Amino acid sequence: MRVSPPVITGDEPGSFPHRVLTERHPAIIRQVREAVPYGPERQVALDALLDQCTKGVVEPLPADAHDRDRWREWGTTAYAGRPWTDVPWLWAESYFYRRLLGATGYFTPGPWQGIDPFRPAKLAELHSTETDEELAALDDLAPLSPDERDRALLHGSLWGNRADLGFRLSAADGAAADGTPPLVADDSEALWSLLPPGSAAPLLCLIADNAGRELIPDLLLIAHLLAGGRVRRAVLHVKPYPYFVSDATPADVLDALHRLRSAEGAARTYGETLWAALTDGRLAIRAHPFNCAPLPYERMPADFRAELAEATLTVLKGDLNYRRLVGDRRWPPTTPFADVTTGFPGPVAALRTLKSEVITGLDAATEAALTAAEDQRWRTSGTHALIQVRP
């Protein structure tokens, strides 16, 4: 029986998790204050959160919080009273965003109820010149072979806003300037084998990561799979409320669809395909509360587990979902991906750009080359990615 390594925490000064908790979170509070004109009451609440997360300890939710009992079950009973850096990093990050929304009045009656504090930044990215260029590049897919289009749209979803379409098409080939591969693991053939052309697999689930320029490629991949006959029906899982600055919510999906439908050329065609799929039921959007849980997927509730168990394939996008899939632990990088995903109900694929320390499924030679070239920076720099599949 495998012994699980320690859960990652932020208690080591200078470590990536410690910097997130002590530097990034305060910066996010400042960003929110600058983006939205909150009044004195909310400013005081944000000041209190800043003080608590930098100098204080984890505190339980207020007695009247609608989800107080849920968070007690998820960990506040165990972690209240402890420094933020001493509890599991995944849990501390998740709880920070829950407390941030509480400070902005997101959950309570008033003028700021339901207002996404990250929306200004999301919309700015969605309507940027870079997005215009990426949507225009979709017209270049027309002369490609079916296999090349498959690869381009899969890599578009993998890399998100990492770079232009040309980079995505070539990212699996060659090497970076330091000689290391952009893709540290590539199980794309196994992914396509689960969704062969013309098979119309009954159900694809895609658990999204970020909104804006990273959500659009996910939507394009879904549209491509539906239109190409690889998938009969798809479910897009997003967050029920704003989370981790840029994670996608149902409102973000709608914004992305409007952006596609207002574009020209192939982008508009993709947008119309998705719109039609939503209206006729071939595409559905889900926002299960567990999508914002500070827990690994192995602890998902029975209803969510049953839904994912029906999928021909579940695709998990992004870094946070990867941490929840394999467990946010100090795994040796060569730990087999299949071994740490046995608790997931059904075939699963991870599409992830590396932005945190946890990693599994590497061969020893790849790990050695990465470490020799970059020390441990390759784990968090966002310059490497992976496609891992457990059938």
Side-chain angles (χ1 to χ4, degrees):
M1 181 177 179
R2 181 183 297 276
V3 177
S4 296
V7 171
I8 294 175
T9 62
D11 58 349
E12 182 183 344
S15 68
F16 184 70
H18 189 271
R19 292 197 304 272
V20 168
L21 294 173
T22 61
E23 298 175 17
R24 183 182 297 177
H25 286 179
I28 289 168
I29 293 175
R30 291 192 293 272
Q31 173 188 328
V32 166
R33 295 180 69 150
E34 294 170 359
V36 183
Y38 293 113
E41 180 183 2
R42 294 299 153 205
Q43 296 284 353
V44 168
L46 289 167
D47 285 340
L49 177 61
L50 177 61
D51 189 67
Q52 180 193 135
C53 70
T54 55
K55 304 174 186 175
V57 296
V58 173
E59 297 180 3
L61 292 175
D64 59 352
H66 74 284
D67 53 353
R68 179 182 170 93
D69 289 344
R70 178 183 297 158
W71 274 94
R72 284 171 59 89
E73 181 181 337
W74 284 351
T76 53
T77 299
Y79 301 135
R82 295 171 60 179
W84 287 73
T85 54
D86 288 358
V87 304
W89 181 42
L90 175 63
W91 194 94
E93 280 198 284
S94 299
Y95 194 57
F96 167 78
Y97 286 100
R98 170 58 186 86
R99 296 306 303 262
L100 179 61
L101 290 183
T104 65
Y106 183 88
F107 296 111
T108 54
W112 302 112
Q113 186 174 21
I115 300 297
D116 183 348
F118 312 120
R119 184 172 173 80
K122 291 177 179 178
L123 290 178
E125 181 183 279
L126 192 61
H127 295 280
S128 66
T129 301
E130 290 82 2
T131 301
D132 292 339
E133 294 170 351
E134 290 179 355
L135 294 183
L138 292 171
D139 294 336
D140 298 336
L141 297 182
L144 300 182
S145 70
D147 285 349
E148 288 173 325
R149 282 195 295 272
D150 288 344
R151 182 169 175 264
L153 289 164
L154 179 64
H155 279 245
S157 180
L158 170 65
W159 289 101
N161 64 3
R162 169 66 175 82
D164 61 22
L165 187 62
F167 176 87
R168 295 167 186 165
L169 282 168
S170 62
D173 305 319
D178 59 13
T180 59
L183 275 183
V184 301
D186 184 6
D187 295 341
S188 53
E189 291 303 317
L191 185 153
W192 292 123
S193 72
L194 294 168
L195 306 171
S199 65
L203 177 63
L204 171 79
C205 288
L206 192 151
I207 302 180
D209 186 31
N210 293 329
R213 287 173 62 205
E214 296 194 37
L215 178 60
I216 282 181
D218 298 340
L219 291 170
L220 295 174
L221 178 61
I222 290 173
H224 176 70
L225 295 174
L226 288 170
R230 288 184 182 267
V231 171
R232 186 180 310 156
R233 188 166 63 91
V235 176
L236 177 65
H237 291 267
V238 295
K239 304 298 190 294
Y241 50 79
Y243 193 66
F244 275 69
V245 180
S246 57
D247 282 22
T249 67
D252 297 318
V253 176
L254 186 59
D255 287 338
L257 287 173
H258 284 309
R259 183 71 179 84
L260 286 170
R261 296 179 80 212
S262 66
E264 302 292 336
R268 178 180 291 181
T269 301
Y270 281 109
E272 297 297 345
T273 297
L274 291 160
W275 195 273
L278 279 165
T279 57
D280 66 25
R282 287 177 295 129
L283 173 60
I285 300 170
R286 299 280 188 271
H288 195 285
F290 191 75
N291 285 332
C292 287
L295 304 173
Y297 282 112
E298 66 180 6
R299 293 182 58 183
M300 71 180 76
D303 62 330
F304 197 34
R305 179 174 293 276
E307 183 169 356
L308 297 181
E310 294 179 0
T312 308
L313 175 66
T314 297
V315 176
L316 276 73
K317 274 297 308 297
D319 202 71
L320 174 62
N321 282 325
Y322 188 87
R323 293 164 60 192
R324 298 184 69 193
L325 174 64
V326 305
D328 203 32
R329 295 177 177 274
R330 300 190 183 280
W331 297 108
T334 55
T335 304
F337 178 71
D339 288 4
V340 294
T341 56
T342 55
F344 197 87
V348 61
L351 305 184
R352 175 209 180 192
T353 302
L354 276 60
K355 298 177 183 177
S356 69
E357 294 178 331
V358 65
I359 184 74
T360 67
L362 298 192
D363 62 60
T366 298
E367 182 198 359
L370 290 165
T371 301
E374 305 177 33
D375 194 21
Q376 297 300 315
R377 293 186 301 276
W378 60 270
R379 294 175 180 254
T380 60
S381 65
T383 57
H384 299 281
L386 59 79
I387 301 171
Q388 292 178 323
V389 176
R390 193 215 69 206

